[in-house]
Amino acid sequence: MHNYPFVLHKFVTGKHDVELVLPETWQAKDLFGQLQKNLFEFSKWLVWADKIDSIQKEVDSIKQFQQKMVDGTAFNLVILVDEIPAGMIDLHDLNSESGEVGYWLSNDFQHLGIMTESVEFLKKYAFEQLKLDYLVLRTHPKNLASQNVAKRGGFKYQKIDDNGHKKFILKNNVRRTETWN
């Protein structure tokens, strides 16, 4: 198997070992396979799902994620379940005040608490490390599973946005404090 030098978070749920790792191009084949296996379901909720129609497009996406991380406009992680790439979670539209949470996970591993725990890690990272003021999470109005992840994560429903998605917000309860050297 591969060596995973960039593991940011590990946890166990049920009989599965889960790791949140930085995206690397060698993961493209497995991620593309998961997208293809779940395409019917994912295309209901994710407007980009059917646009990734080759391993090369997944490689290109990973390279874009890496560049956005370098630029400071996104933070992307691959979700490994038992060492196999099974999904992704990210902060996109990242700025000094906020970021938007996005995620997907293979149907094989849904309803096991994996995404809820992954969102918990992302929240902690966003608020403690990035010092963001709030997070946004949007879901398709019929995607009840994703809405439940948002609710379990403490996100509060705000409104239907201009694209017809449910918009949830989570505010950082810890006020920023400036330190002077």
Side-chain angles (χ1 to χ4, degrees), residues 20 75 77 89-91 101 115-132 134-135 137 149-155 170-173:
L20 303 181
F75 179 70
L77 297 172
I89 187 166
D90 78 323
L91 287 173
V101 177
M115 195 53 70
T116 297
E117 174 69 23
S118 298
V119 168
E120 285 301 315
F121 170 78
L122 199 65
K123 286 172 24 186
K124 185 174 182 175
Y125 183 83
F127 292 148
E128 293 178 11
Q129 298 296 315
L130 300 179
K131 308 289 189 211
L132 299 182
Y134 65 96
L135 296 174
L137 193 156
V149 169
K151 291 173 187 173
R152 281 192 298 275
F155 287 79
L170 179 66
K171 294 181 181 177
N172 187 351
N173 291 329

PDB file of all heavy atoms in Angstrom, residues 20 75 77 89-91 101 115-132 134-135 137 149-155 170-173:
ATOM      1  N   LEU A  20      -8.185  11.360   7.115  1.00  0.00           N
ATOM      2  CA  LEU A  20      -8.345  12.542   6.274  1.00  0.00           C
ATOM      3  C   LEU A  20      -6.952  12.966   5.856  1.00  0.00           C
ATOM      4  O   LEU A  20      -6.110  13.271   6.706  1.00  0.00           O
ATOM      5  CB  LEU A  20      -9.056  13.658   7.035  1.00  0.00           C
ATOM      6  CG  LEU A  20     -10.432  13.292   7.602  1.00  0.00           C
ATOM      7  CD1 LEU A  20     -11.043  14.493   8.316  1.00  0.00           C
ATOM      8  CD2 LEU A  20     -11.365  12.769   6.526  1.00  0.00           C
ATOM      9  N   PHE A  75      -9.243  24.454   1.062  1.00  0.00           N
ATOM     10  CA  PHE A  75      -8.588  23.444   1.891  1.00  0.00           C
ATOM     11  C   PHE A  75      -9.295  22.134   1.596  1.00  0.00           C
ATOM     12  O   PHE A  75     -10.472  21.975   1.917  1.00  0.00           O
ATOM     13  CB  PHE A  75      -8.697  23.820   3.374  1.00  0.00           C
ATOM     14  CG  PHE A  75      -8.070  22.824   4.293  1.00  0.00           C
ATOM     15  CD1 PHE A  75      -6.692  22.665   4.338  1.00  0.00           C
ATOM     16  CD2 PHE A  75      -8.859  22.028   5.119  1.00  0.00           C
ATOM     17  CE1 PHE A  75      -6.108  21.737   5.196  1.00  0.00           C
ATOM     18  CE2 PHE A  75      -8.283  21.102   5.981  1.00  0.00           C
ATOM     19  CZ  PHE A  75      -6.903  20.960   6.008  1.00  0.00           C
ATOM     20  N   LEU A  77      -9.423  17.791   1.461  1.00  0.00           N
ATOM     21  CA  LEU A  77      -8.949  16.540   2.032  1.00  0.00           C
ATOM     22  C   LEU A  77      -9.643  15.362   1.360  1.00  0.00           C
ATOM     23  O   LEU A  77     -10.823  15.447   1.014  1.00  0.00           O
ATOM     24  CB  LEU A  77      -9.235  16.486   3.536  1.00  0.00           C
ATOM     25  CG  LEU A  77      -8.549  17.545   4.385  1.00  0.00           C
ATOM     26  CD1 LEU A  77      -9.069  17.495   5.813  1.00  0.00           C
ATOM     27  CD2 LEU A  77      -7.038  17.353   4.358  1.00  0.00           C
ATOM     28  N   ILE A  89     -13.714  16.039   1.314  1.00  0.00           N
ATOM     29  CA  ILE A  89     -14.330  17.115   2.086  1.00  0.00           C
ATOM     30  C   ILE A  89     -13.449  18.334   1.894  1.00  0.00           C
ATOM     31  O   ILE A  89     -12.228  18.212   1.762  1.00  0.00           O
ATOM     32  CB  ILE A  89     -14.481  16.739   3.577  1.00  0.00           C
ATOM     33  CG1 ILE A  89     -15.281  17.818   4.332  1.00  0.00           C
ATOM     34  CG2 ILE A  89     -13.140  16.448   4.225  1.00  0.00           C
ATOM     35  CD1 ILE A  89     -15.753  17.364   5.705  1.00  0.00           C
ATOM     36  N   ASP A  90     -14.076  19.515   1.858  1.00  0.00           N
ATOM     37  CA  ASP A  90     -13.272  20.708   1.619  1.00  0.00           C
ATOM     38  C   ASP A  90     -13.897  21.955   2.209  1.00  0.00           C
ATOM     39  O   ASP A  90     -15.062  21.971   2.590  1.00  0.00           O
ATOM     40  CB  ASP A  90     -13.065  20.910   0.111  1.00  0.00           C
ATOM     41  CG  ASP A  90     -14.281  21.502  -0.591  1.00  0.00           C
ATOM     42  OD1 ASP A  90     -15.418  21.150  -0.227  1.00  0.00           O
ATOM     43  OD2 ASP A  90     -14.109  22.319  -1.501  1.00  0.00           O
ATOM     44  N   LEU A  91     -13.058  22.969   2.274  1.00  0.00           N
ATOM     45  CA  LEU A  91     -13.483  24.348   2.472  1.00  0.00           C
ATOM     46  C   LEU A  91     -13.151  25.054   1.167  1.00  0.00           C
ATOM     47  O   LEU A  91     -11.996  25.042   0.739  1.00  0.00           O
ATOM     48  CB  LEU A  91     -12.702  25.010   3.611  1.00  0.00           C
ATOM     49  CG  LEU A  91     -13.024  24.583   5.026  1.00  0.00           C
ATOM     50  CD1 LEU A  91     -12.021  25.211   5.997  1.00  0.00           C
ATOM     51  CD2 LEU A  91     -14.435  24.988   5.395  1.00  0.00           C
ATOM     52  N   VAL A 101     -18.275  24.766   3.224  1.00  0.00           N
ATOM     53  CA  VAL A 101     -18.013  23.337   3.381  1.00  0.00           C
ATOM     54  C   VAL A 101     -18.649  22.578   2.219  1.00  0.00           C
ATOM     55  O   VAL A 101     -19.808  22.815   1.873  1.00  0.00           O
ATOM     56  CB  VAL A 101     -18.596  22.820   4.718  1.00  0.00           C
ATOM     57  CG1 VAL A 101     -18.390  21.324   4.862  1.00  0.00           C
ATOM     58  CG2 VAL A 101     -17.988  23.573   5.894  1.00  0.00           C
ATOM     59  N   MET A 115     -18.963  11.051   7.646  1.00  0.00           N
ATOM     60  CA  MET A 115     -19.033  12.455   7.232  1.00  0.00           C
ATOM     61  C   MET A 115     -19.254  13.368   8.431  1.00  0.00           C
ATOM     62  O   MET A 115     -18.673  14.453   8.496  1.00  0.00           O
ATOM     63  CB  MET A 115     -20.125  12.658   6.175  1.00  0.00           C
ATOM     64  CG  MET A 115     -19.986  13.983   5.468  1.00  0.00           C
ATOM     65  SD  MET A 115     -18.333  14.281   4.760  1.00  0.00           S
ATOM     66  CE  MET A 115     -18.301  13.111   3.427  1.00  0.00           C
ATOM     67  N   THR A 116     -20.036  12.936   9.387  1.00  0.00           N
ATOM     68  CA  THR A 116     -20.247  13.767  10.583  1.00  0.00           C
ATOM     69  C   THR A 116     -18.921  14.015  11.296  1.00  0.00           C
ATOM     70  O   THR A 116     -18.600  15.151  11.658  1.00  0.00           O
ATOM     71  CB  THR A 116     -21.271  13.097  11.520  1.00  0.00           C
ATOM     72  OG1 THR A 116     -22.524  13.010  10.829  1.00  0.00           O
ATOM     73  CG2 THR A 116     -21.450  13.892  12.807  1.00  0.00           C
ATOM     74  N   GLU A 117     -18.118  12.981  11.477  1.00  0.00           N
ATOM     75  CA  GLU A 117     -16.812  13.134  12.129  1.00  0.00           C
ATOM     76  C   GLU A 117     -15.869  13.976  11.274  1.00  0.00           C
ATOM     77  O   GLU A 117     -15.102  14.786  11.796  1.00  0.00           O
ATOM     78  CB  GLU A 117     -16.198  11.763  12.411  1.00  0.00           C
ATOM     79  CG  GLU A 117     -14.786  11.803  12.965  1.00  0.00           C
ATOM     80  CD  GLU A 117     -14.675  12.340  14.378  1.00  0.00           C
ATOM     81  OE1 GLU A 117     -15.668  12.300  15.121  1.00  0.00           O
ATOM     82  OE2 GLU A 117     -13.571  12.805  14.746  1.00  0.00           O
ATOM     83  N   SER A 118     -15.930  13.806   9.962  1.00  0.00           N
ATOM     84  CA  SER A 118     -15.078  14.589   9.059  1.00  0.00           C
ATOM     85  C   SER A 118     -15.435  16.070   9.129  1.00  0.00           C
ATOM     86  O   SER A 118     -14.545  16.929   9.143  1.00  0.00           O
ATOM     87  CB  SER A 118     -15.211  14.067   7.621  1.00  0.00           C
ATOM     88  OG  SER A 118     -14.768  12.723   7.536  1.00  0.00           O
ATOM     89  N   VAL A 119     -16.722  16.373   9.179  1.00  0.00           N
ATOM     90  CA  VAL A 119     -17.163  17.773   9.308  1.00  0.00           C
ATOM     91  C   VAL A 119     -16.709  18.340  10.650  1.00  0.00           C
ATOM     92  O   VAL A 119     -16.285  19.501  10.732  1.00  0.00           O
ATOM     93  CB  VAL A 119     -18.690  17.897   9.108  1.00  0.00           C
ATOM     94  CG1 VAL A 119     -19.199  19.276   9.524  1.00  0.00           C
ATOM     95  CG2 VAL A 119     -19.060  17.617   7.647  1.00  0.00           C
ATOM     96  N   GLU A 120     -16.764  17.538  11.698  1.00  0.00           N
ATOM     97  CA  GLU A 120     -16.292  18.004  13.009  1.00  0.00           C
ATOM     98  C   GLU A 120     -14.818  18.406  12.946  1.00  0.00           C
ATOM     99  O   GLU A 120     -14.428  19.440  13.491  1.00  0.00           O
ATOM    100  CB  GLU A 120     -16.509  16.934  14.085  1.00  0.00           C
ATOM    101  CG  GLU A 120     -17.940  16.798  14.525  1.00  0.00           C
ATOM    102  CD  GLU A 120     -18.517  18.081  15.106  1.00  0.00           C
ATOM    103  OE1 GLU A 120     -17.847  18.749  15.932  1.00  0.00           O
ATOM    104  OE2 GLU A 120     -19.643  18.437  14.715  1.00  0.00           O
ATOM    105  N   PHE A 121     -14.001  17.588  12.297  1.00  0.00           N
ATOM    106  CA  PHE A 121     -12.591  17.932  12.157  1.00  0.00           C
ATOM    107  C   PHE A 121     -12.436  19.220  11.359  1.00  0.00           C
ATOM    108  O   PHE A 121     -11.661  20.111  11.738  1.00  0.00           O
ATOM    109  CB  PHE A 121     -11.796  16.813  11.478  1.00  0.00           C
ATOM    110  CG  PHE A 121     -10.410  17.261  11.111  1.00  0.00           C
ATOM    111  CD1 PHE A 121      -9.429  17.339  12.088  1.00  0.00           C
ATOM    112  CD2 PHE A 121     -10.101  17.651   9.821  1.00  0.00           C
ATOM    113  CE1 PHE A 121      -8.153  17.796  11.777  1.00  0.00           C
ATOM    114  CE2 PHE A 121      -8.828  18.102   9.497  1.00  0.00           C
ATOM    115  CZ  PHE A 121      -7.847  18.173  10.472  1.00  0.00           C
ATOM    116  N   LEU A 122     -13.158  19.343  10.247  1.00  0.00           N
ATOM    117  CA  LEU A 122     -13.047  20.529   9.399  1.00  0.00           C
ATOM    118  C   LEU A 122     -13.467  21.791  10.152  1.00  0.00           C
ATOM    119  O   LEU A 122     -12.827  22.836  10.027  1.00  0.00           O
ATOM    120  CB  LEU A 122     -13.890  20.350   8.134  1.00  0.00           C
ATOM    121  CG  LEU A 122     -13.533  21.256   6.981  1.00  0.00           C
ATOM    122  CD1 LEU A 122     -12.127  20.967   6.460  1.00  0.00           C
ATOM    123  CD2 LEU A 122     -14.549  21.099   5.851  1.00  0.00           C
ATOM    124  N   LYS A 123     -14.527  21.697  10.951  1.00  0.00           N
ATOM    125  CA  LYS A 123     -14.956  22.835  11.775  1.00  0.00           C
ATOM    126  C   LYS A 123     -13.843  23.259  12.729  1.00  0.00           C
ATOM    127  O   LYS A 123     -13.530  24.446  12.847  1.00  0.00           O
ATOM    128  CB  LYS A 123     -16.192  22.468  12.602  1.00  0.00           C
ATOM    129  CG  LYS A 123     -17.473  22.373  11.851  1.00  0.00           C
ATOM    130  CD  LYS A 123     -18.624  21.812  12.669  1.00  0.00           C
ATOM    131  CE  LYS A 123     -18.530  21.940  14.147  1.00  0.00           C
ATOM    132  NZ  LYS A 123     -19.617  21.246  14.873  1.00  0.00           N
ATOM    133  N   LYS A 124     -13.286  22.285  13.416  1.00  0.00           N
ATOM    134  CA  LYS A 124     -12.223  22.583  14.381  1.00  0.00           C
ATOM    135  C   LYS A 124     -11.039  23.240  13.677  1.00  0.00           C
ATOM    136  O   LYS A 124     -10.493  24.231  14.160  1.00  0.00           O
ATOM    137  CB  LYS A 124     -11.792  21.291  15.083  1.00  0.00           C
ATOM    138  CG  LYS A 124     -10.795  21.488  16.172  1.00  0.00           C
ATOM    139  CD  LYS A 124     -10.516  20.190  16.925  1.00  0.00           C
ATOM    140  CE  LYS A 124      -9.533  20.465  18.035  1.00  0.00           C
ATOM    141  NZ  LYS A 124      -9.299  19.303  18.866  1.00  0.00           N
ATOM    142  N   TYR A 125     -10.649  22.697  12.540  1.00  0.00           N
ATOM    143  CA  TYR A 125      -9.539  23.267  11.784  1.00  0.00           C
ATOM    144  C   TYR A 125      -9.874  24.695  11.344  1.00  0.00           C
ATOM    145  O   TYR A 125      -9.050  25.611  11.490  1.00  0.00           O
ATOM    146  CB  TYR A 125      -9.224  22.393  10.562  1.00  0.00           C
ATOM    147  CG  TYR A 125      -8.034  22.885   9.788  1.00  0.00           C
ATOM    148  CD1 TYR A 125      -6.741  22.560  10.179  1.00  0.00           C
ATOM    149  CD2 TYR A 125      -8.195  23.702   8.667  1.00  0.00           C
ATOM    150  CE1 TYR A 125      -5.641  23.033   9.480  1.00  0.00           C
ATOM    151  CE2 TYR A 125      -7.100  24.182   7.967  1.00  0.00           C
ATOM    152  CZ  TYR A 125      -5.832  23.838   8.375  1.00  0.00           C
ATOM    153  OH  TYR A 125      -4.746  24.313   7.695  1.00  0.00           O
ATOM    154  N   ALA A 126     -11.065  24.907  10.833  1.00  0.00           N
ATOM    155  CA  ALA A 126     -11.476  26.224  10.338  1.00  0.00           C
ATOM    156  C   ALA A 126     -11.480  27.274  11.442  1.00  0.00           C
ATOM    157  O   ALA A 126     -11.036  28.403  11.239  1.00  0.00           O
ATOM    158  CB  ALA A 126     -12.859  26.132   9.692  1.00  0.00           C
ATOM    159  N   PHE A 127     -11.985  26.894  12.609  1.00  0.00           N
ATOM    160  CA  PHE A 127     -12.115  27.866  13.685  1.00  0.00           C
ATOM    161  C   PHE A 127     -10.835  28.026  14.510  1.00  0.00           C
ATOM    162  O   PHE A 127     -10.475  29.141  14.882  1.00  0.00           O
ATOM    163  CB  PHE A 127     -13.286  27.512  14.592  1.00  0.00           C
ATOM    164  CG  PHE A 127     -14.639  27.662  13.917  1.00  0.00           C
ATOM    165  CD1 PHE A 127     -15.677  26.836  14.254  1.00  0.00           C
ATOM    166  CD2 PHE A 127     -14.861  28.629  12.951  1.00  0.00           C
ATOM    167  CE1 PHE A 127     -16.924  26.973  13.657  1.00  0.00           C
ATOM    168  CE2 PHE A 127     -16.092  28.777  12.336  1.00  0.00           C
ATOM    169  CZ  PHE A 127     -17.123  27.949  12.693  1.00  0.00           C
ATOM    170  N   GLU A 128     -10.129  26.939  14.769  1.00  0.00           N
ATOM    171  CA  GLU A 128      -8.950  27.027  15.620  1.00  0.00           C
ATOM    172  C   GLU A 128      -7.675  27.376  14.857  1.00  0.00           C
ATOM    173  O   GLU A 128      -6.848  28.131  15.351  1.00  0.00           O
ATOM    174  CB  GLU A 128      -8.754  25.720  16.385  1.00  0.00           C
ATOM    175  CG  GLU A 128      -9.856  25.472  17.401  1.00  0.00           C
ATOM    176  CD  GLU A 128      -9.695  24.153  18.146  1.00  0.00           C
ATOM    177  OE1 GLU A 128      -8.626  23.516  18.047  1.00  0.00           O
ATOM    178  OE2 GLU A 128     -10.659  23.765  18.843  1.00  0.00           O
ATOM    179  N   GLN A 129      -7.498  26.816  13.682  1.00  0.00           N
ATOM    180  CA  GLN A 129      -6.280  27.066  12.914  1.00  0.00           C
ATOM    181  C   GLN A 129      -6.415  28.258  11.968  1.00  0.00           C
ATOM    182  O   GLN A 129      -5.529  29.098  11.908  1.00  0.00           O
ATOM    183  CB  GLN A 129      -5.885  25.818  12.111  1.00  0.00           C
ATOM    184  CG  GLN A 129      -5.573  24.619  12.968  1.00  0.00           C
ATOM    185  CD  GLN A 129      -4.367  24.840  13.851  1.00  0.00           C
ATOM    186  OE1 GLN A 129      -3.354  25.354  13.403  1.00  0.00           O
ATOM    187  NE2 GLN A 129      -4.465  24.464  15.107  1.00  0.00           N
ATOM    188  N   LEU A 130      -7.521  28.287  11.216  1.00  0.00           N
ATOM    189  CA  LEU A 130      -7.712  29.374  10.242  1.00  0.00           C
ATOM    190  C   LEU A 130      -8.355  30.607  10.863  1.00  0.00           C
ATOM    191  O   LEU A 130      -8.361  31.672  10.249  1.00  0.00           O
ATOM    192  CB  LEU A 130      -8.556  28.879   9.064  1.00  0.00           C
ATOM    193  CG  LEU A 130      -7.975  27.702   8.281  1.00  0.00           C
ATOM    194  CD1 LEU A 130      -8.931  27.293   7.166  1.00  0.00           C
ATOM    195  CD2 LEU A 130      -6.597  28.031   7.723  1.00  0.00           C
ATOM    196  N   LYS A 131      -8.899  30.465  12.063  1.00  0.00           N
ATOM    197  CA  LYS A 131      -9.529  31.574  12.802  1.00  0.00           C
ATOM    198  C   LYS A 131     -10.683  32.206  12.022  1.00  0.00           C
ATOM    199  O   LYS A 131     -10.880  33.422  12.060  1.00  0.00           O
ATOM    200  CB  LYS A 131      -8.502  32.656  13.169  1.00  0.00           C
ATOM    201  CG  LYS A 131      -7.269  32.151  13.870  1.00  0.00           C
ATOM    202  CD  LYS A 131      -7.568  31.724  15.262  1.00  0.00           C
ATOM    203  CE  LYS A 131      -6.263  31.441  16.000  1.00  0.00           C
ATOM    204  NZ  LYS A 131      -6.382  30.430  16.999  1.00  0.00           N
ATOM    205  N   LEU A 132     -11.471  31.379  11.319  1.00  0.00           N
ATOM    206  CA  LEU A 132     -12.606  31.888  10.553  1.00  0.00           C
ATOM    207  C   LEU A 132     -13.732  32.295  11.506  1.00  0.00           C
ATOM    208  O   LEU A 132     -13.866  31.755  12.600  1.00  0.00           O
ATOM    209  CB  LEU A 132     -13.112  30.842   9.570  1.00  0.00           C
ATOM    210  CG  LEU A 132     -12.110  30.370   8.510  1.00  0.00           C
ATOM    211  CD1 LEU A 132     -12.776  29.375   7.566  1.00  0.00           C
ATOM    212  CD2 LEU A 132     -11.534  31.547   7.733  1.00  0.00           C
ATOM    213  N   TYR A 134     -17.084  32.273  10.480  1.00  0.00           N
ATOM    214  CA  TYR A 134     -18.248  31.414  10.248  1.00  0.00           C
ATOM    215  C   TYR A 134     -18.017  30.508   9.044  1.00  0.00           C
ATOM    216  O   TYR A 134     -17.126  30.754   8.224  1.00  0.00           O
ATOM    217  CB  TYR A 134     -19.528  32.233  10.059  1.00  0.00           C
ATOM    218  CG  TYR A 134     -19.552  33.098   8.825  1.00  0.00           C
ATOM    219  CD1 TYR A 134     -20.168  32.654   7.652  1.00  0.00           C
ATOM    220  CD2 TYR A 134     -18.991  34.373   8.820  1.00  0.00           C
ATOM    221  CE1 TYR A 134     -20.194  33.440   6.512  1.00  0.00           C
ATOM    222  CE2 TYR A 134     -19.013  35.166   7.693  1.00  0.00           C
ATOM    223  CZ  TYR A 134     -19.622  34.696   6.538  1.00  0.00           C
ATOM    224  OH  TYR A 134     -19.646  35.485   5.421  1.00  0.00           O
ATOM    225  N   LEU A 135     -18.828  29.454   8.974  1.00  0.00           N
ATOM    226  CA  LEU A 135     -18.806  28.513   7.867  1.00  0.00           C
ATOM    227  C   LEU A 135     -20.187  28.468   7.221  1.00  0.00           C
ATOM    228  O   LEU A 135     -21.207  28.633   7.906  1.00  0.00           O
ATOM    229  CB  LEU A 135     -18.445  27.106   8.350  1.00  0.00           C
ATOM    230  CG  LEU A 135     -17.057  26.929   8.938  1.00  0.00           C
ATOM    231  CD1 LEU A 135     -16.901  25.512   9.496  1.00  0.00           C
ATOM    232  CD2 LEU A 135     -15.997  27.209   7.891  1.00  0.00           C
ATOM    233  N   LEU A 137     -22.652  26.054   4.652  1.00  0.00           N
ATOM    234  CA  LEU A 137     -22.850  24.718   4.096  1.00  0.00           C
ATOM    235  C   LEU A 137     -24.164  24.769   3.311  1.00  0.00           C
ATOM    236  O   LEU A 137     -25.187  25.200   3.846  1.00  0.00           O
ATOM    237  CB  LEU A 137     -22.924  23.689   5.219  1.00  0.00           C
ATOM    238  CG  LEU A 137     -22.838  22.216   4.865  1.00  0.00           C
ATOM    239  CD1 LEU A 137     -22.345  21.428   6.074  1.00  0.00           C
ATOM    240  CD2 LEU A 137     -24.108  21.652   4.346  1.00  0.00           C
ATOM    241  N   VAL A 149     -26.327  15.908   8.287  1.00  0.00           N
ATOM    242  CA  VAL A 149     -24.924  16.142   8.648  1.00  0.00           C
ATOM    243  C   VAL A 149     -24.763  17.584   9.136  1.00  0.00           C
ATOM    244  O   VAL A 149     -24.133  17.838  10.163  1.00  0.00           O
ATOM    245  CB  VAL A 149     -23.981  15.844   7.468  1.00  0.00           C
ATOM    246  CG1 VAL A 149     -22.562  16.343   7.752  1.00  0.00           C
ATOM    247  CG2 VAL A 149     -23.965  14.350   7.149  1.00  0.00           C
ATOM    248  N   ALA A 150     -25.363  18.528   8.402  1.00  0.00           N
ATOM    249  CA  ALA A 150     -25.282  19.943   8.790  1.00  0.00           C
ATOM    250  C   ALA A 150     -25.874  20.163  10.181  1.00  0.00           C
ATOM    251  O   ALA A 150     -25.261  20.818  11.033  1.00  0.00           O
ATOM    252  CB  ALA A 150     -25.998  20.810   7.755  1.00  0.00           C
ATOM    253  N   LYS A 151     -27.038  19.606  10.419  1.00  0.00           N
ATOM    254  CA  LYS A 151     -27.699  19.785  11.719  1.00  0.00           C
ATOM    255  C   LYS A 151     -26.897  19.155  12.847  1.00  0.00           C
ATOM    256  O   LYS A 151     -26.743  19.765  13.912  1.00  0.00           O
ATOM    257  CB  LYS A 151     -29.115  19.211  11.670  1.00  0.00           C
ATOM    258  CG  LYS A 151     -30.042  20.022  10.784  1.00  0.00           C
ATOM    259  CD  LYS A 151     -31.393  19.336  10.625  1.00  0.00           C
ATOM    260  CE  LYS A 151     -32.251  20.072   9.612  1.00  0.00           C
ATOM    261  NZ  LYS A 151     -33.494  19.335   9.319  1.00  0.00           N
ATOM    262  N   ARG A 152     -26.373  17.932  12.625  1.00  0.00           N
ATOM    263  CA  ARG A 152     -25.556  17.294  13.660  1.00  0.00           C
ATOM    264  C   ARG A 152     -24.295  18.109  13.943  1.00  0.00           C
ATOM    265  O   ARG A 152     -23.777  18.090  15.055  1.00  0.00           O
ATOM    266  CB  ARG A 152     -25.179  15.866  13.248  1.00  0.00           C
ATOM    267  CG  ARG A 152     -26.283  14.858  13.468  1.00  0.00           C
ATOM    268  CD  ARG A 152     -25.794  13.427  13.322  1.00  0.00           C
ATOM    269  NE  ARG A 152     -25.294  13.120  11.994  1.00  0.00           N
ATOM    270  CZ  ARG A 152     -26.030  12.740  10.951  1.00  0.00           C
ATOM    271  NH1 ARG A 152     -27.337  12.648  11.072  1.00  0.00           N
ATOM    272  NH2 ARG A 152     -25.479  12.469   9.794  1.00  0.00           N
ATOM    273  N   GLY A 153     -23.825  18.830  12.937  1.00  0.00           N
ATOM    274  CA  GLY A 153     -22.639  19.660  13.101  1.00  0.00           C
ATOM    275  C   GLY A 153     -22.910  21.015  13.723  1.00  0.00           C
ATOM    276  O   GLY A 153     -21.994  21.823  13.868  1.00  0.00           O
ATOM    277  N   GLY A 154     -24.162  21.285  14.063  1.00  0.00           N
ATOM    278  CA  GLY A 154     -24.503  22.551  14.703  1.00  0.00           C
ATOM    279  C   GLY A 154     -24.808  23.683  13.739  1.00  0.00           C
ATOM    280  O   GLY A 154     -25.031  24.818  14.174  1.00  0.00           O
ATOM    281  N   PHE A 155     -24.823  23.416  12.448  1.00  0.00           N
ATOM    282  CA  PHE A 155     -25.160  24.440  11.462  1.00  0.00           C
ATOM    283  C   PHE A 155     -26.638  24.778  11.591  1.00  0.00           C
ATOM    284  O   PHE A 155     -27.473  23.903  11.823  1.00  0.00           O
ATOM    285  CB  PHE A 155     -24.876  23.945  10.043  1.00  0.00           C
ATOM    286  CG  PHE A 155     -23.419  23.873   9.689  1.00  0.00           C
ATOM    287  CD1 PHE A 155     -22.637  22.818  10.128  1.00  0.00           C
ATOM    288  CD2 PHE A 155     -22.832  24.860   8.907  1.00  0.00           C
ATOM    289  CE1 PHE A 155     -21.292  22.731   9.795  1.00  0.00           C
ATOM    290  CE2 PHE A 155     -21.489  24.792   8.577  1.00  0.00           C
ATOM    291  CZ  PHE A 155     -20.718  23.727   9.024  1.00  0.00           C
ATOM    292  N   LEU A 170     -22.720  28.237  10.365  1.00  0.00           N
ATOM    293  CA  LEU A 170     -22.204  27.925  11.698  1.00  0.00           C
ATOM    294  C   LEU A 170     -21.236  29.037  12.071  1.00  0.00           C
ATOM    295  O   LEU A 170     -20.269  29.290  11.359  1.00  0.00           O
ATOM    296  CB  LEU A 170     -21.481  26.577  11.717  1.00  0.00           C
ATOM    297  CG  LEU A 170     -20.887  26.186  13.069  1.00  0.00           C
ATOM    298  CD1 LEU A 170     -21.982  25.948  14.108  1.00  0.00           C
ATOM    299  CD2 LEU A 170     -20.017  24.948  12.922  1.00  0.00           C
ATOM    300  N   LYS A 171     -21.516  29.720  13.178  1.00  0.00           N
ATOM    301  CA  LYS A 171     -20.659  30.802  13.644  1.00  0.00           C
ATOM    302  C   LYS A 171     -19.645  30.268  14.638  1.00  0.00           C
ATOM    303  O   LYS A 171     -19.926  29.368  15.417  1.00  0.00           O
ATOM    304  CB  LYS A 171     -21.492  31.910  14.282  1.00  0.00           C
ATOM    305  CG  LYS A 171     -22.391  32.612  13.288  1.00  0.00           C
ATOM    306  CD  LYS A 171     -23.172  33.720  13.936  1.00  0.00           C
ATOM    307  CE  LYS A 171     -24.068  34.371  12.898  1.00  0.00           C
ATOM    308  NZ  LYS A 171     -24.914  35.410  13.475  1.00  0.00           N
ATOM    309  N   ASN A 172     -18.460  30.861  14.587  1.00  0.00           N
ATOM    310  CA  ASN A 172     -17.408  30.548  15.541  1.00  0.00           C
ATOM    311  C   ASN A 172     -17.774  31.229  16.851  1.00  0.00           C
ATOM    312  O   ASN A 172     -17.910  32.442  16.906  1.00  0.00           O
ATOM    313  CB  ASN A 172     -16.066  31.053  15.015  1.00  0.00           C
ATOM    314  CG  ASN A 172     -14.900  30.628  15.871  1.00  0.00           C
ATOM    315  OD1 ASN A 172     -15.070  30.094  16.954  1.00  0.00           O
ATOM    316  ND2 ASN A 172     -13.703  30.860  15.372  1.00  0.00           N
ATOM    317  N   ASN A 173     -17.931  30.439  17.893  1.00  0.00           N
ATOM    318  CA  ASN A 173     -18.320  30.999  19.189  1.00  0.00           C
ATOM    319  C   ASN A 173     -17.168  31.645  19.936  1.00  0.00           C
ATOM    320  O   ASN A 173     -17.370  32.333  20.912  1.00  0.00           O
ATOM    321  CB  ASN A 173     -18.944  29.914  20.065  1.00  0.00           C
ATOM    322  CG  ASN A 173     -20.280  29.478  19.517  1.00  0.00           C
ATOM    323  OD1 ASN A 173     -20.997  30.256  18.899  1.00  0.00           O
ATOM    324  ND2 ASN A 173     -20.620  28.224  19.733  1.00  0.00           N
TER     325      ASN A 173
END
